[in-house]
DNA sequence: TATTGTTATACTCTATAACTATA
DNA sequence: TATAGTTATAGAGTATAACAATA
């Protein structure tokens, strides 16, 4: 790890961390998270909100809870997130006809626009972060990550 | 994405998310983070603290700020983290001789023990999460992640 | 004037428990 | 009785600005 120290740059050993996949996942994920913020700066759309928009767009009428479960977001935490999206006019929330306890979520035209514009921007940013990886390596990365995600719980 | 819905399990499409490396990094990183908590449950050592322990052990006498920079932790946030480790008797903090503004950090014997015991546990847990990946694929994963980390800022 | 560490503060994400209304 | 959504709350990670001591 190279670190700035006032005048020059020195190499700092990370110890055990260097060999731990968990550490590198965390750092790489942070790099993407920060870049996401830059990409979406000003739109008010954060990573979680973008995720919800994407899932609702892909599953019109999906329940609030089901959408949360697909994204690993707890019921309780979904409430204010959905409020934000509804208040911003990006998704529509109405009582589900088949189950009056639940909410059916759909994306609004404005939400579709925001999702499309956001996707475009984020893809461009991801290209920069992944510019050192070949197409084959990018596929490999996503494949490896998905196999790790499957280990959840 | 397969999601439990009371009686059965349904497949939910993720939309654009599916193709975004940032999303998969976040999910995979969370899986590792949760597993880390389980592995270290009760010891009070969290991911960040473990990281600091590892860097201090690998760089005896390192400055507080330099250690933070190596780990992507801001000065202001290092303060309470280092306090925790000092209070727990895991690291030693003394004024640096060459620069009396700075603190020189060293790991204590108790800190070394905690780091060794923690490393052992975490390695075992990582083996479970990575059990579907071959040795070659694990090397590949870390290599790809490091190349992404290099894109920081 | 710049840097090290500090304090104060705020925002986001995540986790839990208790509540309501429907099923 | 179980589930969907809600409220309240708390812990943890991260970010910024302003300050004291030292360089």
């Amino acid at each position: 790890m190279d670190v700035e120290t006032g005048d020059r740059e020195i190499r700092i050993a990370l110890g055990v961390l260097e060999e731990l996949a968990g550490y590198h996942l965390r750092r790489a994920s942070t790099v993407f998270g920060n870049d996401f913020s830059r990409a979406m700066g000003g739109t008010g759309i954060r990573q979680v909100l973008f995720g919800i928009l994407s899932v609702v767009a892909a599953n019109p009428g999906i329940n609030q809870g089901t959408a949360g479960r697909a994204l690993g977001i707890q019921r309780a935490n979904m409430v204010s997130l959905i409020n934000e999206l509804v208040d911003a006019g990006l998704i529509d929330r109405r009582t589900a006809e088949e189950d009056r306890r639940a909410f059916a979520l759909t994306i609004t035209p404005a939400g579709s626009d925001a999702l499309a514009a956001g996707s475009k921007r984020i893809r461009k940013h991801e290209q920069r972060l992944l510019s050192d990886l070949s197409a084959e390596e990018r596929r490999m990365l996503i494949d490896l990550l998905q196999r790790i995600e499957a280990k959840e719980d």
Side-chain angles (χ1 to χ4, degrees), chain A residues 64-140:
Chain A
Q64 186 168 311
T66 307
R69 248 170 273 134
L71 291 163
I73 305 171
Q74 310 219 7
R75 281 199 308 286
N77 297 326
M78 280 295 280
V79 182
S80 65
L81 295 170
I82 295 298
N83 282 340
E84 282 190 71
L85 290 171
V86 169
D87 292 349
L90 302 180
I91 69 171
D92 203 66
R93 166 181 52 192
R94 61 186 64 174
T95 309
E97 295 170 354
E98 344 76 59
D99 183 347
R100 310 204 25 240
R101 293 171 299 183
F103 281 144
L105 306 177
T106 47
I107 196 156
T108 65
S112 281
D113 291 351
L115 181 61
S119 301
K120 199 172 167 186
R121 264 199 260 185
I122 291 157
R123 263 194 257 267
K124 193 175 292 176
H125 273 252
E126 289 217 344
Q127 274 177 23
R128 186 181 70 77
L129 294 180
L130 298 174
S131 60
D132 292 349
L133 310 200
S134 68
E136 169 60 18
E137 287 173 326
R138 297 179 198 194
R139 271 193 298 276
M140 172 77 82

Side-chain angles (χ1 to χ4, degrees), chain A residues 25-76:
Chain A
L25 279 170
R26 207 157 75 93
R27 290 305 294 267
S29 176
T30 301
V31 169
F32 268 77
N34 291 340
D35 200 63
F36 185 97
S37 304
R38 268 192 296 273
M40 303 298 274
T43 69
I45 296 184
R46 311 187 300 279
Q47 273 185 310
V48 210
L49 298 179
F50 185 86
I52 297 175
L53 267 188
S54 177
V55 167
V56 171
N59 306 273
I62 192 174
N63 278 6
Q64 186 168 311
T66 307
R69 248 170 273 134
L71 291 163
I73 305 171
Q74 310 219 7
R75 281 199 308 286

